[in-house]
Amino acid sequence: YKEKIKTILNELHLPFSDFGTNSNETTDYPDYGHAAAQAVSKGECDRGILICGTGIGMSIVANKHVGVRAAACETIEAAELSRKHNDANVLCIGERLTTWDEAQAIVRIFLKTDFEGGRHERRVAKIHSLTSC
């Protein structure tokens, strides 16, 4: 899916960084998830899109980074609401759980949807207000 998503980003004239993998060999997804999430955390990238088997592992990895709000989304509605209500800045998609048709629609809605703000701003601020529970 990564290469197909890059095609969408090029079509939309959106600049991007590719943090890998660049192989069909089995790899450790946290290595790539951490690299991408770190770029979002540092402000080097506005948003990230991570792909793994379910999207769950990548979301766990990405959410370890300060300022990252990663959402594993399997539907268009989840992707839209993750942006509107949670100001999600990293989208995680599971290639085993999501067809390409669904994935491309999810990517497009994630990229075009803005954060609604309002009552959600207070809630999003609380996400990062505690350093430990």
Side-chain angles (χ1 to χ4, degrees), residues 37-132:
Q38 185 174 16
V40 173
S41 179
K42 289 182 172 183
E44 297 167 359
C45 297
D46 293 331
R47 294 192 199 165
I49 300 172
L50 300 173
I51 309 294
C52 69
T54 64
I56 297 167
M58 282 294 205
S59 68
I60 292 169
V61 168
N63 280 316
K64 298 288 184 187
H65 293 263
V66 174
V68 171
R69 292 171 305 283
C73 298
E74 295 176 25
T75 67
I76 295 166
E77 183 178 26
E80 182 177 29
L81 291 173
S82 77
R83 288 287 308 133
K84 283 183 175 183
H85 294 182
N86 307 112
D87 198 18
N89 52 14
V90 174
L91 170 65
C92 302
I93 298 175
E95 194 168 342
R96 292 181 190 155
L97 305 178
T98 312
T99 68
W100 170 243
D101 287 341
E102 293 166 332
Q104 70 176 320
I106 289 167
V107 167
R108 289 177 188 279
I109 199 78
F110 182 81
L111 294 172
K112 81 174 194 174
T113 302
D114 292 324
F115 177 50
E116 283 182 352
R119 71 183 194 275
H120 304 294
E121 287 181 54
R122 180 182 75 250
R123 296 168 183 165
V124 170
K126 288 181 177 185
I127 292 171
H128 302 291
S129 66
L130 295 176
T131 54
S132 65

Side-chain angles (χ1 to χ4, degrees), residues 2-3 6 16-22 27-41 44-50 58:
K2 182 186 77 156
E3 295 303 319
K6 286 167 54 175
F16 62 88
S17 297
D18 181 345
F19 293 94
T21 178
N22 298 306
T27 61
D28 294 332
Y29 67 85
D31 298 338
Y32 306 101
H34 281 305
Q38 185 174 16
V40 173
S41 179
E44 297 167 359
C45 297
D46 293 331
R47 294 192 199 165
I49 300 172
L50 300 173
M58 282 294 205

